[in-house]
Amino acid sequence: MNILITGANRGLGLALANEACERGHHVLAGVRSPGSSTEGLQELITRFPGQLTILPLDVVDENSVRYASEQIEGREIRLDSIINSAAILLGRDQKLEQLDMEQMEQSFQTNLFGPIVVLKHFLPLLRKGERQSIINISSEAGCFSGAYGGDYSYALSKSALNMFSAQLRRELTPHGFVVHALHPGWIKTDMGGEKAPGDAGVSAAGILDIVERKTQADALFIDHKGAPMNL
């Protein structure tokens, strides 16, 4: 399979790229810019020759996303799966009275508008693939049932991402697509922190099982094992 992973140079994105390569897939590793830190991806290129392509793709810059899609189309690469993993968490622990609205806008630009723009430009390529899937990495923080009065920028942007995923699912599942918003768990990454109990590699393996359709999931919003979660 040819799998596009955004935010692939660190955290869960890098773990997903590693897992996909280990399973023999070809990874289009979306990174913010040519100057982004790519040491982990370079190591994968060495370990898995020909299986990973670093793709400059800044999800908050539509021109960057458009150019990336044109590059892939020009190489006549069919696309089988998109995993929207790029995300930011700003303003952690800010109370509503101190909420930085600029950070709120930045969060929506990356966490919601980013996946929208990626799908806008890459969906035509995905339609040509096989066993197509779209996995939008979300969070239980974006659930109405789990609202906790904090992380406003992150939680609200992820809640909106869940709605976007529901719209995609309604449109695309009749055509054989698998579409999910997915909570990867609280995992040890730059975002999750060292206190997180989960492992990014374990989460990535579960997500790839869903992409490969080894794990069947009926719900829109699921965890990395395919189990349904409350919205």
Side-chain angles (χ1 to χ4, degrees):
M1 299 176 72
N2 293 314
I3 304 174
L4 171 65
I5 302 171
T6 67
N9 60 316
R10 61 178 184 169
L12 178 61
L14 182 58
L16 286 163
N18 179 77
E19 183 69 23
C21 287
E22 287 189 346
R23 296 185 184 209
H25 301 301
H26 178 234
V27 173
L28 300 170
V31 299
R32 185 180 302 171
S33 69
S36 298
S37 175
T38 59
E39 290 85 355
L41 293 177
Q42 295 294 342
E43 180 182 339
L44 293 182
I45 290 173
T46 301
R47 288 170 54 203
F48 304 101
Q51 284 185 237
L52 188 142
T53 300
I54 295 178
L55 185 66
L57 190 161
D58 185 348
V59 300
V60 303
D61 181 349
E62 185 169 3
N63 287 330
S64 170
V65 177
R66 181 188 295 110
Y67 181 74
S69 68
E70 291 171 351
Q71 292 292 104
I72 298 306
E73 184 176 19
R75 299 178 194 176
E76 298 184 352
I77 298 175
R78 82 169 195 275
L79 195 58
D80 303 303
S81 181
I82 295 175
I83 305 177
N84 281 306
S85 183
I88 57 174
L89 196 166
L90 302 176
R92 172 165 275 176
D93 298 326
Q94 281 184 355
K95 299 299 182 183
L96 183 58
E97 296 88 338
Q98 287 81 43
L99 192 63
D100 185 325
M101 295 308 297
E102 183 175 339
Q103 290 184 348
M104 175 74 79
E105 292 177 7
Q106 291 172 348
S107 298
F108 270 81
Q109 285 287 344
T110 300
N111 299 350
L112 173 63
F113 302 149
I116 291 174
V117 171
V118 167
L119 267 299
K120 173 183 175 180
H121 290 284
F122 280 92
L123 185 57
L125 301 179
L126 192 61
R127 291 186 188 277
K128 299 176 183 178
E130 300 178 357
R131 293 187 298 164
Q132 300 102 319
S133 62
I134 298 169
I135 306 295
N136 291 325
I137 302 301
S138 187
S139 171
E140 63 183 356
C143 301
F144 282 78
S145 58
Y148 54 89
D151 294 335
Y152 286 96
S153 299
Y154 184 75
L156 290 170
S157 61
K158 290 297 188 180
S159 181
L161 179 64
N162 291 345
M163 180 60 186
F164 175 56
S165 303
Q167 291 176 304
L168 287 173
R169 184 179 173 89
R170 180 63 63 89
E171 176 186 355
L172 297 175
T173 52
H175 302 285
F177 283 63
V178 165
V179 181
H180 294 291
L182 186 144
H183 172 59
W186 183 18
I187 53 179
K188 288 185 177 69
T189 61
D190 290 344
M191 183 182 293
E194 286 300 317
K195 295 181 180 179
D199 179 79
V202 172
S203 184
I207 294 168
L208 263 295
D209 283 345
I210 294 165
V211 168
E212 293 175 342
R213 306 197 182 191
K214 293 177 181 176
T215 298
Q216 302 291 324
D218 296 325
L220 164 69
F221 188 42
I222 58 175
D223 66 14
H224 69 279
K225 297 179 181 179
M229 297 190 65
N230 294 324
L231 284 169

